[in-house]
Amino acid sequence: EELLERGRLGHMHTLYQELLHIPLIIKFPNGQYRGLRDSGLWQQVDILPTVLAASGISLKGALDGLAYPKDVARLSSRQALFEIAAGADAVEAGQASASYLELGSGLREGSLKLIHHNSSICGIGTVRGLFDLSSDPQEKRDLFLEKKVKALFLERELARRKSRPTLVLPKRASDEETREILRSLQYTR
């Protein structure tokens, strides 16, 4: 939630840490890892692999995410893609005009974070920035021009990652197939 850090209130307007950094709390079976804190770059995509691993299920590379704690060592070299697309739903619902649109994306690699944000609100326009979260956790000092080679590399990597094909979900199972699966998992009788 933005609480006037950049003169704005609310959420879904920027790609700064106050909106992206969300605590994740997991309670493992039998008190395993109780009290353990990890400041690594975990993402929502890591929740399913973590739950499956804690349940003793391994899909060996079938999922994009990492499993906690076995993949902790892989965090330091991980890139994290993040995006925002806000306003289109409000326009569709008739609650706002087409001029209300927030689009943005970014890439995090280690402590470096690149943002590319386009906002039609208040005439802000396009914002590009590169921040080093280890020395500037509040993202006040833009290093884009100072570290232009790295910034351009991350921009190219961001474009490459965004152009990857999205997941195509399989056709939905028929009701009878779904009931049989639920019965086999003992969810129903």
Side-chain angles (χ1 to χ4, degrees):
E1 201 69 24
E2 289 177 300
L3 299 171
L4 298 175
E5 291 89 348
R6 294 164 215 293
R8 299 173 86 171
L9 284 171
H11 59 278
M12 299 295 288
H13 296 296
T14 68
L15 294 167
Y16 295 109
Q17 288 300 95
E18 54 265 20
L19 291 179
L20 296 179
H21 190 108
I22 302 167
L24 172 64
I25 300 170
I26 298 176
K27 181 179 179 185
F28 286 90
N30 304 317
Q32 190 176 20
Y33 312 117
R34 181 181 295 144
L36 189 63
R37 290 175 163 250
D38 186 300
S39 61
L41 184 57
W42 295 98
Q43 300 177 70
Q44 289 176 339
V45 71
D46 301 323
I47 295 172
L48 180 59
T50 298
V51 170
L52 292 175
S55 303
I57 300 169
S58 173
L59 295 180
K60 296 189 181 187
L63 300 170
D64 284 340
L66 301 176
Y68 183 84
K70 76 177 185 91
D71 292 325
V72 168
R74 295 177 54 195
L75 286 178
S76 62
S77 62
R78 179 184 215 183
Q79 288 182 333
L81 172 70
F82 47 91
E83 296 181 281
I84 184 174
D89 54 342
V91 172
E92 196 173 294
Q95 298 170 339
S97 70
S99 64
Y100 172 79
L101 190 59
E102 300 280 340
L103 299 172
S105 57
L107 189 66
R108 173 123 177 241
E109 183 180 82
S111 66
L112 291 179
K113 178 181 170 188
L114 172 81
I115 62 168
H116 189 267
H117 185 239
N118 186 6
S119 173
S120 61
I121 296 177
C122 303
I124 293 173
T126 300
V127 175
R128 289 173 21 178
L130 180 70
F131 303 94
D132 186 342
L133 298 177
S134 64
S135 61
D136 180 22
Q138 297 191 335
E139 299 164 286
K140 301 290 186 188
R141 184 167 173 241
D142 186 355
L143 302 172
F144 196 92
L145 294 176
E146 191 176 315
K147 296 184 179 244
K148 191 155 188 152
V149 171
K150 184 64 174 180
L152 293 174
F153 167 79
L154 289 174
E155 274 196 334
R156 189 178 75 219
E157 184 65 14
L158 175 62
R160 184 187 72 75
R161 295 270 308 269
K162 286 178 64 176
S163 69
R164 287 185 0 193
T166 57
L167 175 67
V168 177
L169 296 174
K171 190 178 108 181
R172 186 170 180 211
S174 73
D175 288 343
E176 187 53 42
E177 287 175 294
T178 303
R179 281 192 283 278
E180 183 55 39
I181 291 169
L182 293 173
R183 274 193 294 270
S184 72
L185 294 171
Q186 299 179 346
Y187 285 120
T188 62
R189 294 179 188 197

